Amino acid sequence: MHSGDPDSLKDLFERASALPADEQQAFLEHACRDDPDRQAELESLIAAAQEAEGFFDSLADAVVSLSPWSDDSPTGLSETALGADPLLGRTVRHYRIEERLGSGGMGVVYRAHDTRLNRAVALKFLPRHLRADDAATERFLVEARAAAALDHPNVCVVHEIGEDEKDRVFISMACYEGETLRHKIERGPLAIEEAWDYARQIAAGLGAAHAHDIVHRDVKPGNVIITPEGVAKVLDFGLAKLTDVTLTRTGTTLGTVAYMSPEQVRGTDVDHRTDLWSLGVVLYEMLTGERPFKGDSTAVVLHAIQNEDPEPPSTLRPEVPPELEAIVGQLLAKNPAQRPAGVEDAGLVTGEATLPRGVFAKPGSPWARVLSWPVAAALVMVAAVLAVWSFVWGPTPNEPASELPVATVAVFPFDNLSGEAALDRVGEAVVFGIVDGLSWMDEAQVVGRDAVRDALRSSGQGAGAREIAADLGAGTSVTGVVMSLGDSLHLRAQVTSVATGEVQHAVDASGLSADERVIIEELKQRVMGAVAMMVSDEPSTRYLLTAPTYEAFQAFARGQERFDASDHQGALERYREAYRLDTTFVSALNGMATAYANLWQPELLDSVVTLLESRRSELHPIEQHYNDQRRARLEGDRMRSVEAVRATFQLDPGPHAGWLIVEAVHAGRPEEALQVWEESDEGQTPSFDSPSPWYRVVTAQHMTGRYQEQLATARRARELFSERPRFRFQEIQGLVALGRLDEAGGLVDELESIERPAEADQVAERAVSWYRAQDSESYRLGMVEALLLSDRPEEAERLIRVVLTEYPEGLEAHALLGNALARTGDPAGAEGEARWLEELDRPYLGGANTYSRAAIAAHLGQRDLAVRLLRQAIQEGVSFEFLHYEPVFAPLWGYEPFEQVIAPRG
């Protein structure tokens, strides 16, 4: 190596800096094995860069007056660690130094009091060891001049640039109350509107800088202060570069790695568009709580920035609006020329992306609407031509046999509707891609291209695609068109059933002609997805309106398998994967919502339901009713929930009979549930493969006094679902209701409630014994209920108080304590628990707290209050399912107003 070669030094510095710290030394020793001086120089540069990086990360925190550096700060610096500081307590010019806030390679920051203007300021001093370095001094002053040149509410105010009596250069800056954006994000993703608002404010501050030819070059959450009034202020133009001043060696990369633009990573010249990239990264992080480019080492992050597209924000947070996601996508375009021209063009104010494509956009996606008008015109022209095209390639008088295998596919040449010779090659590439993709599918067999071509030659002029496909033994045909208009390219494929002549799926892919390969791949994936849907034996696929990509469909099908196995968490993970792979696949969102509903994660469920409501037109009518039911459940409206499920049942009875039974019982309509049960031949439909509807049928029979039928159905269910103990309980319940207590006692392993406690004390005792034998914390609440059943409220009280020490906010624990206190003769304590429940302010309670208050009132002898609260709880969403045998309401049994409340509604 030649030590005088600056390019080599630069190259080695960048390559070494991109490596993890524990790999740098070995790299330098090998690369500089013939030049120890070069190795020492590089080691010094890397050490200085690391020190400076730490300072820039901390500067924003240093100027937040309520966030001084302390032992619990990110760097762990403290006054003790820093040692005695001679400036503390001194007055520099008219600034009294009060506290040292931070230090690093490019300066030391103090909090000071401006005695002349009586205000708090932050003073940043150039460190002594750099003052002799003209370049470092000049960089420091450029930072100050750049910031001082800006007068904008979203930019940190710089009051003064000066020197003290010992020639120490300093900058006086505003000292703000508030916190950095980094600290806010550390607590989790921001509210959508909040993130959007901060992004608009940051953009406004950057726009003011760009208008003065100042590029920040280090936009990140740590360099943004959020004041208590919600004002965002951009700090630290320490890396700013005036267009007429060059202070750094060409190619030097500055800035925090995770927020650096691709051009910064490459070390090429940057302009204001590098700030737009960083703003996109910050907005992505505000929305999701995660950075778009992540890795275990600097090298991995740098590679991701230059070569990989991040996941769309909506895959991590489904409620992110498509419009905002499009804006983030255009800001993160790797080519600066494909980003907005300036912050005013980014769409943050209008809420509309201004460029046709971003990194998240895919042909055929909801963002297709942001394509230019020529694409829209092309779509209209394609639609006009398709009528003629469908006639030419449509059904023929000779109807093919219905037994043709649907999984065998014939792919026909795509028609070039534009007449441009160049598009003939595109059509050939499309067909080749589809045939190749289908050949890899386990679910399908594809007819070779040569066989299709030969059949077309020998068929004559009158034969259509459907007739030729039938002759080739294919039950499915794929035909298509290619069209262009200006710079846009449009592809459409029709996947048709040869037996019926019906188009099963029309698949489109559109975009800029320069993205030809991407568009072809998109169409191929969706044709494969459409074929997979046609041959799938999964019932839910009949509700898919549009064909997803094949990869997304596979993930969705795996999610359905996990759902059918009652593994709702596993299903959720696969639905998420499907949506990540194809954000146009709205049915994957629908699957996520179903999983959240079964896991009862109401906050997440609410966000996905809201997103689905905004995309209602993309859903199958069945899926629309699914979402209506989820919204009704979130709002505690049981009757509206039944109506939504009844609508699905009317459209497709077989798969939805069991669900209608479940919701009817919850809403207090056991007669309707039993009518559906009887019409389904008492469980002979696909939806009765799971235990849930069986359990509700038994409950409906109990609610209507059909105890003999209840006993018989419970025993059938026990045989079908032997691993489910709840059916043992329901059998016991039926035996007790029929007065067959000896038989019930022989079956008891667990008993939570019975309808005739006076005749079943021994059974309750056995329940207490069973719970006590379980060596698990999760059984303690059940133990409390069993103690209350066996009339041992004092023991129940002692146990529940122990539980409350660990879970002081547990609703069920407070309800049980109030119940126990009411039974031990402590009405004041019981009413105190009832007040706690009344004041509970949590979303998605569904009347649970009101229900518990009613139970406490019942045991305090306040029967009218208990009935009134129970009516309210039912209006708020409490299920009727347990009211007919719940022992907490035993004091109300036989009380006419109570019996009216729990009377079946239908």
Side-chain angles (χ1 to χ4, degrees), residues 735-736 739-748 759 762-763 766:
L735 289 168
V736 171
R740 294 155 62 175
L741 298 180
D742 290 342
E743 293 178 66
L747 290 174
V748 169
E759 301 176 65
Q762 57 179 348
V763 177
R766 293 188 61 180

Side-chain angles (χ1 to χ4, degrees), residues 227-258:
T227 71
E229 295 76 28
V231 178
K233 292 184 178 288
V234 183
L235 310 176
D236 188 11
F237 279 79
L239 299 179
K241 178 182 178 183
L242 296 177
T243 55
D244 60 343
V245 180
T246 301
L247 298 177
T248 61
R249 178 181 299 159
T250 302
T252 300
T253 55
L254 300 174
T256 304
V257 170

Side-chain angles (χ1 to χ4, degrees), residues 64-92:
V64 182
S65 63
L66 297 185
S67 304
W69 294 107
S70 62
D71 288 334
D72 60 353
S73 68
T75 61
L77 294 176
S78 65
E79 287 296 321
T80 303
L82 291 169
D85 190 321
L87 284 180
L88 291 177
R90 300 280 299 278
T91 298
V92 175

Side-chain angles (χ1 to χ4, degrees), residues 184-192 195-196 259 280-294 310-321 324-325 328 332 360:
K184 292 182 77 70
I185 294 174
E186 285 173 351
R187 296 195 293 270
L190 277 58
I192 300 292
W196 202 330
Y259 304 90
V281 177
V282 172
L283 179 52
Y284 186 106
E285 190 174 4
M286 286 193 290
L287 292 170
T288 68
E290 298 184 15
R291 294 172 180 172
F293 305 101
K294 304 182 286 293
E311 292 183 336
S314 60
T315 65
L316 302 173
R317 188 178 184 186
E319 66 267 32
V320 174
L324 189 53
E325 188 169 87
V328 177
L332 292 182
F360 309 125

Side-chain angles (χ1 to χ4, degrees), residues 168-416:
R168 288 178 292 214
V169 180
F170 66 84
I171 301 175
S172 170
M173 301 174 286
C175 198
Y176 297 106
E177 294 185 353
E179 63 178 339
T180 66
L181 185 56
R182 183 186 71 183
H183 287 144
K184 292 182 77 70
I185 294 174
E186 285 173 351
R187 296 195 293 270
L190 277 58
I192 300 292
E193 286 301 326
E194 184 181 26
W196 202 330
D197 179 48
Y198 292 154
R200 282 192 290 260
Q201 293 188 57
I202 296 168
L206 291 174
H210 297 165
H212 288 77
D213 293 328
I214 300 169
V215 182
H216 191 289
R217 298 202 296 169
D218 195 23
V219 177
K220 58 185 178 182
N223 274 342
V224 178
I225 295 296
I226 306 298
T227 71
E229 295 76 28
V231 178
K233 292 184 178 288
V234 183
L235 310 176
D236 188 11
F237 279 79
L239 299 179
K241 178 182 178 183
L242 296 177
T243 55
D244 60 343
V245 180
T246 301
L247 298 177
T248 61
R249 178 181 299 159
T250 302
T252 300
T253 55
L254 300 174
T256 304
V257 170
Y259 304 90
M260 290 169 64
S261 66
E263 56 267 32
Q264 280 182 295
V265 170
R266 292 190 298 267
T268 57
D269 290 339
V270 301
D271 59 20
H272 64 281
R273 290 172 296 185
T274 197
D275 288 346
L276 298 185
W277 167 281
S278 301
L279 175 59
V281 177
V282 172
L283 179 52
Y284 186 106
E285 190 174 4
M286 286 193 290
L287 292 170
T288 68
E290 298 184 15
R291 294 172 180 172
F293 305 101
K294 304 182 286 293
D296 297 331
S297 67
T298 300
V300 174
V301 175
L302 293 176
H303 179 273
I305 290 171
Q306 297 183 83
N307 300 290
E308 297 178 4
D309 288 337
E311 292 183 336
S314 60
T315 65
L316 302 173
R317 188 178 184 186
E319 66 267 32
V320 174
E323 297 81 6
L324 189 53
E325 188 169 87
I327 290 171
V328 177
Q330 66 180 12
L331 291 173
L332 292 182
K334 296 191 187 299
N335 184 347
Q338 296 177 350
R339 296 175 207 151
V343 292
E344 67 279 0
D345 301 315
L348 287 165
V349 174
T350 63
E352 296 182 2
T354 56
L355 296 181
R357 302 237 6 218
V359 297
F360 309 125
K362 295 182 179 180
S365 76
W367 294 0
R369 63 178 178 275
V370 303
L371 290 170
S372 57
W373 71 265
V375 177
L379 296 180
V380 173
M381 293 177 66
V382 167
V385 174
L386 283 178
V388 177
W389 174 62
S390 297
F391 174 79
V392 173
W393 291 94
T396 65
N398 299 319
E399 291 295 322
S402 60
E403 62 269 13
L404 288 170
V406 175
T408 300
V409 187
V411 183
F412 290 85
F414 275 42
D415 282 348
N416 177 0

Side-chain angles (χ1 to χ4, degrees), residues 626-644:
Y626 286 172
N627 214 47
D628 293 340
Q629 187 275 333
R630 298 184 196 110
R631 173 58 69 195
R633 183 180 178 191
L634 286 167
E635 295 177 358
D637 191 334
R638 290 287 182 183
M639 291 307 299
R640 188 152 52 95
S641 177
V642 171
E643 291 168 2

